[in-house]
Amino acid sequence: QVQLVESGGGLVQPGGSLRLSCAASGNIFSIHAMGWYRQAPGKQRELVARIIGGGSTNYADSVKGRFTFARDNANNTGYLEMNSLKPEDTAVYYCNAAVVHQRWGQPYDYWGQGTQVTVSS
């Protein structure tokens, strides 16, 4: 089993910054991909940013230029730096990881419990 623990959410004013962290632990041989998703009230969960393999990163258009996602592969941790936050960024943010448990194994998806980000004055 794998556990993903998110931290860093909270309340911030518009224009402010937050840094989310996602630490993966457990039966991990490698992490094929890691990403952040978010879900606002009444809306579907959407991709925010995702890093696949050696470092190719995809961002949602709504966060390009404001959010930066980085991985610390040695520590199985991912960081989402969020700048110039807007009220529409308010959501529960979830960490996702595609984890390989053994050499030549297939990746399995895991999710964190979510962390609330609220952007409001």
Side-chain angles (χ1 to χ4, degrees), residues 7-112:
S7 61
L11 173 64
V12 64
Q13 292 186 342
S17 299
L18 281 175
R19 186 187 194 217
L20 304 183
S21 299
C22 174
S25 62
N27 182 18
I28 300 171
F29 177 79
S30 66
I31 297 179
H32 170 67
M34 181 177 276
W36 287 93
Y37 293 73
R38 67 186 181 186
Q39 188 166 18
K43 294 188 177 181
Q44 289 189 329
R45 189 173 297 188
E46 63 175 1
L47 172 70
V48 175
R50 191 167 189 247
I51 298 177
I52 300 173
S56 173
T57 308
N58 294 320
Y59 292 96
D61 288 342
S62 59
V63 307
K64 284 181 181 176
R66 300 188 297 123
F67 290 12
T68 302
F69 184 30
R71 276 179 64 176
D72 177 353
N73 292 325
N75 294 302
N76 293 325
T77 302
Y79 302 95
L80 183 67
E81 190 75 36
M82 305 185 294
N83 298 312
S84 302
L85 282 162
K86 305 175 181 179
E88 50 263 44
D89 294 317
T90 296
V92 178
Y93 284 69
Y94 296 91
C95 178
N96 167 265
V99 177
V100 176
H101 295 298
Q102 60 187 11
R103 191 178 183 88
W104 311 123
Q106 66 180 25
Y108 291 87
D109 254 5
Y110 291 90
W111 292 89

